[in-house]
């Protein structure tokens, strides 16, 4: 029983099973997917729910991810609540259709089980897949653990379907590290989830509306720009929609999900920024360093798109040094994506902190407390001396 | 500060149920009210290749998300790993090693690079063959670990097997429970 009075149940579940459970409880109209490690078990579990008649979803097993996302676009345009999931190269194969889903304002939701893009070929976790699509027009949220993989997908649906937003949303969780790791997950009752997401009311539905209309026609220099401007406006409405969806979710779950989460950061000299599972490891390290009397803190970034610029500036503005961890390389750029965003967010802070970047964990390279302590140690050196030796470092590379 | 976390690293070969053991032991601890993590290192998935599984137990939430490199306990499902894989690498001082072997624990101390008091042995392969009719050492090794650890209780383990496999086959549950109990009784250290 959650503190909210909703009768919940705690079960040991791997991230993929937790996400599959969310799908089952939502019982979407259409799911179109193609299997890829480490997403496979998620779709396998969901396919089992379909086979067992626990959901009445139309499950379309396509011949590729390009087709999977295309089928999602068709289904969503027709007026169906649509979900899918993928990883890495499958995600890359969806690429052109990701933009189309967003520009057609179709609130498809997708789990991205983060995995390194080839090559060299690798099945393990980094954020090179989803980070590459940060400008595709989708909302993006990173889950720290199986619990968040479950919770955030439900919140994403409600925010995506908000008629002021009408944008697709992806929820990321780290391949293997979360997808295949069993932890205790608190599951809401089916009825509570059904009531939370509510019956699907599409803003426009090709097959349901009485008035026929066209989806995806040519749009040249006459109107393309206006439609993109509207898409941007949808994105601008997303933070409020996410906050509203999260607030309603807190009422039934007791769990509060903002765009970011600060941990012992208010009086910290050095604050680490991390996404996904590493935020959990960083929280452990913060506790260790605090025991040693060091003013360390963490800012976990949950929502990457839309980027919570003002909140980030507010959360980090008092630090002396900010250490941004990125599980992705941005080739040829000055630092990786989170670093660039965070550094930009701090530009107008009166006494802005020094910001350094660590690229870590590529291709699943194990990143434990020792490595994060190294990054913190450099952060404290920068905070004390006021001198950055190297803006972008690499953690745990030989 | 976070609650103390007990870390168990499982070593075996692909096909011996290393991942399953790491998960089942975590689930059993969950039955007893512990916070848990169960996971494994996914390699090239070849049958017979050395693999590792991991279990974390605590009285509070566990937020670490990395491999276990400094285990409190190491469980070795396959004796042919000894001398080939550094199974005790990073083992905490005084940490325990539970090995599936017909040999005496004291004989293994040198190979493992630990004191003989740290070593516990059980012939899980023999138990598995005799009780379950096939070589599946993971279940008896769970029983041995329950005894050595003294933190997770047999009824929790039995309940986990009942929940997981009861719907499929009561025979499978009973055989596993019997193998677990036998290994629990037969595991031996040097101190006892």
């Amino acid at each position: 029983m959650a503190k909210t009075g909703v009768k919940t149940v705690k079960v040991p579940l791997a991230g993929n099973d937790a996400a599959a459970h969310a799908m089952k409880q939502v019982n979407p109209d259409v799911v179109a997917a193609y299997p890829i490690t480490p997403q496979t078990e998620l779709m396998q579990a969901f396919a089992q729910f379909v086979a067992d008649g626990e959901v009445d979803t139309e499950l379309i097993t396509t011949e590729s991810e390009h087709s999977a996302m295309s089928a999602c676009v068709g289904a969503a345009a027709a007026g169906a609540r649509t979900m899918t999931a993928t990883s890495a190269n499958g995600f890359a194969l969806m690429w052109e259709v990701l933009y189309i889903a967003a520009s057609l304002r179709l609130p498809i939701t997708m789990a991205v089980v983060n995995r390194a893009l080839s090559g060299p070929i690798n099945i393990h976790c980094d954020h090179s897949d989803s980070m590459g699509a940060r400008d595709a027009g989708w909302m993006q949220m990173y889950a720290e653990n199986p619990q968040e993989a479950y919770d955030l997908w439900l919140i994403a649906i409600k925010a995506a379907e908000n008629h002021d937003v009408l944008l697709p949303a992806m929820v990321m969780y780290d391949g293997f590290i979360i997808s295949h790791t069993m932890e205790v997950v608190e599951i809401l009752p089916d009825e509570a989830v059904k009531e939370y997401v509510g019956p699907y009311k599409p803003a426009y539905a090709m097959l349901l509306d009485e008035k026929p209309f066209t989806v995806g026609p040519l749009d040249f220099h006459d109107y393309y720009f206006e439609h993109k401007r509207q898409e941007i406006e949808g994105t601008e409405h997303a933070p409020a929609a996410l906050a509203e969806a999260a607030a309603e979710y807190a009422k039934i779950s007791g769990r509060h999900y903002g765009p970011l989460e600060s941990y012992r950061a208010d009086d910290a000299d050095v604050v680490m920024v991390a996404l996904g599972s590493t935020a959990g490891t960083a929280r452990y390290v913060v506790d260790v360093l605090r025991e040693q009397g060091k003013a360390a803190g963490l800012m976990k970034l949950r929502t990457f798109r839309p980027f919570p610029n003002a909140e980030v500036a507010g959360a980090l503005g008092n630090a002396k040094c900010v250490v941004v961890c990125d599980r992705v390389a941005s080739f040829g750029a000055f630092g990786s994506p989170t670093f660039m965003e965070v550094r930009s967010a701090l530009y107008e802070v009166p006494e802005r902190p020094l910001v350094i970047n660590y690229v870590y964990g590529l291709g699943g390279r194990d990143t434990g407390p020792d490595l994060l302590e190294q990054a913190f140690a450099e952060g404290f050196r920068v905070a004390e001396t006021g001198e950055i030796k190297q803006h972008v470092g690499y953690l745990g590379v030989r | 500060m976070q609650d103390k976390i007990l870390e168990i690293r499982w070593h075996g070969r692909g096909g011996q149920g290393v991942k399953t053991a790491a998960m089942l032991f975590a689930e059993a601890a969950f039955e007893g009210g512990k916070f848990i993590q169960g996971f494994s290192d996914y390699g090239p998935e070849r049958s017979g290749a050395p693999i590792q599984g991991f279990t974390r137990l605590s009285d509070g939430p566990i937020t670490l998300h990395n491999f276990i490199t400094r285990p409190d306990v190491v469980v070795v499902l396959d004796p042919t790993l000894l001398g080939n894989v550094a199974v005790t690498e990073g083992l905490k001082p005084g940490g325990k090693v539970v090995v599936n072997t017909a040999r005496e624990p004291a004989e293994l101390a040198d190979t493992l690079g630990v004191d003989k008091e740290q070593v516990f042995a059980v012939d899980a392969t023999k138990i598995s063959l005799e009780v379950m009719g096939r070589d599946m050492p993971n279940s008896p090794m769970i029983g041995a670990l329950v005894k050595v650890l003294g933190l997770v209780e047999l009824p929790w383990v039995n309940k986990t097997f009942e929940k997981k496999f009861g719907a499929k086959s009561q025979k499978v549950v009973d055989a596993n429970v019997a193998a677990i109990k036998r290994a629990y009784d037969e595991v031996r250290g040097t101190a006892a």
Side-chain angles (χ1 to χ4, degrees):
Chain A
M1 179 89 76
K3 277 174 264 172
T4 56
V6 176
K7 203 169 183 292
T8 58
V9 53
K10 285 184 178 171
V11 270
L13 289 177
N16 274 338
D17 293 316
H21 213 86
M23 291 182 85
K24 182 179 90 169
Q25 293 183 308
V26 170
N27 190 9
D29 300 312
V30 174
V31 169
Y34 186 86
I36 181 168
T37 298
Q39 160 262 36
T40 311
E41 285 83 352
L42 161 59
M43 285 317 305
Q44 184 185 329
F46 185 73
Q48 189 70 53
F49 294 142
V50 175
D52 293 345
E54 294 200 52
V55 293
D56 50 20
T57 302
E58 181 72 37
L59 174 64
I60 311 171
T61 52
T62 53
E63 76 281 13
S64 77
E65 286 87 354
H66 188 281
S67 301
M69 187 47 70
S70 298
C72 286
V73 164
R81 179 177 272 155
T82 307
M83 298 170 85
T84 185
T86 192
S87 296
N89 292 38
F91 184 85
L93 191 50
M94 287 181 174
W95 208 263
E96 65 168 308
V97 197
L98 292 177
Y99 284 75
I100 293 167
S103 71
L104 293 178
R105 313 297 297 277
L106 301 172
I108 299 161
T109 60
M110 168 162 68
V112 180
V113 189
N114 284 121
R115 161 183 163 179
L117 284 173
S118 300
I121 192 163
N122 180 298
I123 60 168
H124 290 283
C125 174
D126 68 33
H127 298 160
S128 52
D129 47 7
S130 56
M131 275 295 174
R134 62 194 185 274
D135 292 337
W138 288 57
M139 291 186 271
Q140 294 190 314
M141 286 188 284
Y142 285 82
E144 178 185 325
N145 49 35
Q147 182 71 63
E148 285 196 12
Y150 172 83
D151 293 333
L152 295 184
W153 206 352
L154 298 176
I155 291 170
I157 291 168
K158 204 169 179 68
E161 292 174 0
N162 184 313
H163 285 196
D164 291 334
V165 179
L166 293 178
L167 287 171
M170 53 180 89
V171 172
M172 272 61 73
Y173 54 93
D174 287 346
F176 292 106
I177 303 167
I178 298 305
S179 66
H180 288 61
T181 291
M182 178 192 285
E183 293 186 1
V184 181
V185 179
E186 190 174 42
I187 298 288
L188 292 163
D190 294 353
E191 279 317 307
V193 172
K194 272 191 195 2
E195 200 179 312
Y196 174 73
V197 295
Y200 184 44
K201 295 187 196 113
Y204 307 96
M206 285 176 78
L207 296 185
L208 304 175
D209 287 3
E210 283 172 15
K211 215 168 118 189
F213 61 95
T214 303
V215 169
L218 277 181
D219 198 13
F220 285 168
H221 32 38
D222 50 354
Y223 272 109
Y224 181 91
F225 201 170
E226 282 70 29
H227 286 131
K228 283 291 148 185
R229 182 65 189 89
Q230 289 179 342
E231 190 183 334
I232 292 165
E233 201 168 309
T235 314
E236 286 165 355
H237 292 152
L242 280 166
E244 193 185 311
E248 273 188 58
Y249 193 72
K251 278 186 210 155
I252 53 169
S253 69
R255 290 182 291 277
H256 300 263
Y257 290 118
L260 53 86
E261 198 177 288
S262 286
Y263 181 68
R264 305 182 85 163
D266 287 349
D267 64 337
D269 291 333
V270 179
V271 179
M272 179 169 278
V273 177
L275 290 71
S277 67
T278 302
T281 310
R283 197 176 294 118
Y284 177 90
V285 172
V286 165
D287 284 343
V288 170
L289 294 174
R290 286 280 179 172
E291 282 284 297
Q292 297 168 9
K294 291 177 188 151
L298 166 72
M299 190 202 84
K300 174 170 90 168
L301 192 58
R302 185 176 285 121
T303 306
F304 195 83
R305 283 290 182 265
F307 190 79
N309 203 62
E311 290 89 339
V312 167
L316 298 174
N318 292 329
K320 289 180 182 153
C321 177
V322 175
V323 181
V324 183
C325 298
D326 264 299
R327 199 162 199 149
V328 57
S330 192
F331 300 95
F334 187 65
S336 281
T338 316
F339 172 74
M340 290 191 269
E341 297 282 356
V342 166
R343 202 160 170 261
S344 167
L346 291 168
Y347 188 74
E348 280 158 3
V349 168
E351 287 180 58
R352 58 174 179 260
L354 294 165
V355 189
I356 57 172
N357 188 200
Y358 276 104
V359 175
Y360 77 97
L362 299 190
R365 175 62 51 83
D366 188 41
T367 304
D370 295 3
L371 286 179
L372 297 184
E373 279 185 43
Q374 273 179 35
F376 262 115
E378 178 60 12
F380 278 103
R381 195 201 60 75
V382 169
E384 277 155 31
T385 61
E387 177 213 1
I388 295 176
K389 281 187 186 159
Q390 194 185 6
H391 282 89
V392 184
Y394 301 88
L395 217 48
V397 71
R398 288 191 296 265
Chain B
M1 200 63 199
Q2 305 197 350
D3 287 279
K4 187 184 156 29
I5 300 167
L6 186 106
E7 298 187 308
I8 303 160
R9 193 171 65 206
W10 305 74
H11 290 269
R13 292 186 183 278
Q16 290 179 323
V18 172
K19 176 195 161 193
T20 306
M23 297 282 202
L24 284 171
F25 199 78
E27 286 185 82
F30 165 76
E31 289 296 337
K34 301 283 179 198
F35 286 81
I36 53 114
Q37 254 180 15
F39 58 108
S40 63
D41 182 11
Y42 285 78
E45 313 275 6
R46 298 185 312 267
S47 184
I51 59 166
Q52 296 183 15
F54 308 96
T55 308
R56 285 193 174 103
L57 314 177
S58 181
D59 290 325
I62 302 167
T63 69
L64 283 172
H65 285 117
N66 63 307
F67 293 153
I68 292 172
T69 53
R70 280 192 288 274
D72 297 276
V73 182
V74 163
V75 185
V76 184
L77 270 66
D78 192 316
T80 67
L81 292 175
L82 301 184
N84 293 314
V85 172
V87 292
T88 51
E89 191 174 10
L91 181 69
K92 287 199 186 116
K96 293 168 178 176
V97 191
V98 193
V99 185
N100 169 20
T101 177
R103 294 167 66 193
E104 285 306 311
E107 296 172 36
L108 305 173
D110 279 350
T111 313
L112 291 168
V114 296
D115 294 339
K116 60 184 194 310
E117 291 77 19
Q118 294 174 268
V119 187
F120 299 83
V122 65
D123 197 342
T125 299
K126 184 174 165 225
I127 294 171
S128 170
L129 286 169
E130 288 181 6
V131 178
M132 301 195 288
R134 63 195 190 111
D135 184 5
M136 207 57 186
N138 61 350
S139 297
M141 289 308 285
I142 287 174
L145 180 60
V146 167
K147 179 73 165 285
V148 171
L149 205 57
L151 193 73
V152 170
E153 294 173 18
L154 274 187
W156 308 348
V157 176
N158 297 346
K159 194 173 165 196
T160 301
F161 275 80
E162 192 70 49
K163 268 191 183 175
K164 296 286 271 192
F165 308 109
K168 267 185 208 154
S169 158
Q170 192 56 43
K171 225 175 104 184
V172 168
V173 175
D174 293 344
N176 276 285
V177 166
I180 287 164
K181 176 68 169 68
R182 208 176 126 187
Y184 177 91
D185 291 335
E186 291 183 10
V187 66
R188 59 209 184 278
T190 53

